[in-house]
Amino acid sequence: MNKSSRIILSLIIFLNVSNHAFAQQMTLTGAIVLDRTEVMSYSIIYQTGSNNTLTGYSVSDRNGSEETKARISGTYNPKTKVLEFEEHFIESTRSKTPVEEFCLMKVTGAFENKAGQSVYTGKFTSKSSDPLVICAKGTILMMTEEKIEQLSSKAAKALEKLPLPDSVRNKDIDTAAWVRNVVEVTPGSVKTLKLHNDQIQIDLVDDRFQDGDKITILKNNERIVSGLEITNKVKSFRFNIGKDENEVTYTFIAEDEGSIALTTLKAFFRNGHEHTLIMAGMNKGQSVKVVFRR
């Protein structure tokens, strides 16, 4: 082989390797927070081109009853680490919602270093082709699937070391089977419930996306637990109420918002035959109160 042939062959190999690198498929997995309270799993699978454009698709509620795949395109700036993309149309869905009523997202975010991990955080707006549909806005967090697994492993190990009072138990419970009277409350608000009998059980869970939310719980201004991380393992507190107690107040304080903005509280109260799910989205330092009265 002469010198010219070797140069041409080397150039062809270089171009093939370069094209493969530019076309490398990336997967980011995480969650979106809709209107401060509702959390949904979300992923994007995409390829980047030589001009920093990206094409691919998004998957929301992966493996769920509302799983939906949408075509996306966007750009990535390697200097600023800003990644922007937009959903254009629905490719497939398990949802029974008519396709024309879907809200398609427009996302702006950037990769940041958090606790030694590269995390994509951003904000999104959404719109529908149907002018009568009101679409949500919110925040988004995603990481590579490898980083998600690493963080979940670390969270599980940290949870094992967390000191909890004897009244707390971790359980595997199918939260979808709960009988729910769902009440959404705003930060700083007080929700009053009727005390039906002398025992109250509180189940806490993050049944969507485990991102490191932590709360402190008070009972009548007495600290029950501090810095409790909410995970997909249900933590149950059971309290016996004295016959002479006509009122008991539980306060939930957001200590850490985790990786996604807002601490999302899901507290399921069981009192006699009355079952109530309290939901709230709080910034760090904010709180909600639940008062039981006879």
Side-chain angles (χ1 to χ4, degrees):
M1 182 182 294
N2 59 37
K3 184 176 180 180
S4 297
S5 298
R6 286 197 299 269
I7 292 174
I8 293 174
L9 180 60
S10 298
L11 181 59
I12 292 173
I13 293 173
F14 171 76
L15 290 175
N16 284 337
V17 171
S18 298
N19 287 335
H20 176 73
F22 283 126
Q24 182 180 7
Q25 181 170 284
M26 295 289 294
T27 301
L28 296 176
T29 298
I32 55 176
V33 181
L34 302 165
D35 288 336
R36 299 177 65 88
T37 55
E38 184 181 353
V39 181
M40 178 180 292
S41 65
Y42 191 82
S43 302
I44 60 172
I45 297 88
Y46 65 93
Q47 296 177 337
T48 54
S50 57
N51 56 352
N52 295 327
T53 60
L54 65 89
T55 57
Y57 60 91
S58 65
V59 181
S60 57
D61 194 31
R62 177 179 262 176
N63 298 323
S65 60
E66 298 291 315
E67 181 181 276
T68 300
K69 181 179 178 181
R71 179 58 55 178
I72 66 169
S73 68
T75 59
Y76 173 64
N77 188 324
K79 292 184 179 180
T80 61
K81 298 184 179 181
V82 171
L83 188 152
E84 299 176 314
F85 65 92
E86 185 173 0
E87 296 176 334
H88 297 289
F89 59 88
I90 303 299
E91 288 194 342
S92 63
T93 183
R94 294 180 181 176
S95 176
K96 296 181 180 179
T97 302
V99 172
E100 62 272 14
E101 295 182 10
F102 271 84
C103 294
L104 299 175
M105 293 169 45
K106 187 174 184 179
V107 182
T108 299
F111 289 92
E112 302 175 9
N113 189 293
K114 293 189 176 184
Q117 305 288 346
S118 179
V119 180
Y120 178 80
T121 58
K123 296 182 179 181
F124 68 86
T125 57
S126 60
K127 63 180 180 179
S128 171
S129 59
D130 186 340
L132 298 179
V133 175
I134 299 175
C135 293
K137 60 182 178 179
T139 56
I140 184 171
L141 173 139
M142 294 186 293
M143 288 175 273
T144 64
E145 292 182 329
E146 179 184 1
K147 296 299 182 184
I148 289 281
E149 292 175 359
Q150 291 176 1
L151 287 179
S152 295
S153 177
K154 288 181 180 179
K157 291 179 181 178
L159 183 62
E160 292 175 358
K161 299 177 182 179
L162 186 66
L164 300 176
D166 292 338
S167 60
V168 182
R169 296 290 182 269
N170 290 339
K171 306 179 200 174
D172 288 308
I173 295 180
D174 180 10
T175 57
W178 290 358
V179 177
R180 290 182 174 180
N181 174 27
V182 182
V183 179
E184 293 189 12
V185 296
T186 57
S189 64
V190 179
K191 176 63 181 177
T192 302
L193 300 173
K194 182 174 178 58
L195 184 63
H196 293 278
N197 69 17
D198 295 334
Q199 189 176 87
I200 296 174
Q201 180 171 318
I202 307 174
D203 298 327
L204 301 174
V205 68
D206 187 342
D207 59 0
R208 277 290 188 175
F209 184 73
Q210 183 177 307
D211 70 316
D213 289 349
K214 294 181 181 179
I215 62 170
T216 287
I217 306 172
L218 308 179
K219 178 192 173 189
N220 294 335
N221 295 321
E222 178 185 352
R223 192 175 296 265
I224 302 302
V225 65
S226 299
L228 175 67
E229 182 173 354
I230 307 302
T231 70
N232 53 20
K233 292 285 188 181
V234 177
K235 299 173 181 65
S236 294
F237 298 75
R238 186 172 294 174
F239 302 93
N240 292 318
I241 311 302
K243 296 291 185 181
D244 57 341
E245 291 185 87
N246 293 318
E247 180 177 300
V248 59
T249 300
Y250 296 97
T251 305
F252 300 87
I253 305 170
E255 297 288 354
D256 195 325
E257 297 178 6
S259 302
I260 301 177
L262 297 181
T263 298
T264 51
L265 171 68
K266 290 187 178 181
F268 187 63
F269 290 83
R270 303 170 188 263
N271 181 237
H273 296 295
E274 191 71 21
H275 296 169
T276 304
L277 176 65
I278 302 294
M279 298 178 62
M282 300 178 288
N283 291 313
K284 184 176 180 179
Q286 293 182 326
S287 64
V288 296
K289 292 185 178 181
V290 179
V291 179
F292 282 86
R293 289 178 181 157
R294 292 190 187 277

